[in-house]
Amino acid sequence: MTPQIEAFLEMMAVERDASPHTLSAYARDLADAEAVCGGLIAATPEGIEAWYADLARRGLSPATQSRRRSAVRQFFRFALAEGWRADDPSSRLDAPRRGRSLPRVLSREEMDRLVAVTAAADGSAALRLRALIELAYASGLRVSELLALRVEAVRRDPTHLIVRGKGGKERLAPLNAAARGAVADWLVARDAMRNADAPDSPWLFPSRGRTGRLTPRRFAQLLDNAATVAGIDPARVSPHVLRHAFATHLLEGGADLRVVQTLLGHADIGTTQIYTHVTQDALAETVRTRHPLGRGGKA
């Protein structure tokens, strides 16, 4: 990483309070542009445009392309302010067009099957996975928020959690009886596995890995295994899909869109509205398959 990129990331952390996740993503984005262009400080507009055009050819999603564009645009604005460059070679980059991408959602029956798989299995690993699934489905937590939960936050069997989400904003995440019961069972197993000679991990879901806690990748692998056992296509299941199920099933149950926005921690209600399309599509499918006219019958 060049000194200029390091300085930019430091500015983002200090002045804009960027999260570690955002800083890590921007570091990767800028390193990619740096490698392709042979250095950002000396990059030409043509070189930046060629790098950006290549992102789509590499198969990157519009969301990822947009984030990489944002990282590079912000870097060059910083470079101008610092006097490293006299121009902005990224000024002609157009944002990619985003089509409407509906989130993958599991039905309520499929969620029940996924939970039942973990309830039927034995051992601490099954208790941990059940707690993860129940917590995600009951609260709508992002996977980063879920895996960053500290054990002290659940020791007293709370009815809700205070979560710090994107932008450092706090919100309340509710816990239902099923989630609280699953967490209580996991705490018993977790405490039984503790090493008496070592201090307790601060994380609710500790791990022996570098971070000291379960990683999103490992959680996704565990979900894939559970989905296979439950008879669900693993390609349809991921930690984020549990959050989608939380939002969609709330709206299907009649919850107000603003309430769901607050529970999900969305800054823009437009982000939440994507779930109304999912529920509308489900209603349309129900009419098509269940109504006599939809099946080609007579009224």
Side-chain angles (χ1 to χ4, degrees), residues 181-236:
V183 169
D185 291 340
W186 162 237
L187 285 177
V188 172
R190 180 187 180 280
D191 291 343
M193 294 187 297
R194 283 181 53 190
N195 186 340
D197 298 327
D200 187 21
S201 168
W203 309 115
L204 177 57
F205 301 106
S207 167
R208 295 179 182 177
R210 179 179 58 83
T211 63
R213 64 193 187 201
L214 197 69
T215 65
R217 180 179 178 82
R218 181 56 181 154
F219 182 21
Q221 291 172 341
L222 296 172
L223 276 179
D224 283 351
N225 296 336
T228 300
V229 176
I232 304 170
D233 182 1
R236 297 180 54 237

Side-chain angles (χ1 to χ4, degrees), residues 2 17 21 53 56 59 79 98 137 168 173 182 192 223 227 238 247 249 255 264 291:
T2 65
D17 195 27
H21 177 77
R98 296 194 186 190
Y137 184 46
L223 276 179
S238 72
H249 296 169
L264 290 174
H291 194 279

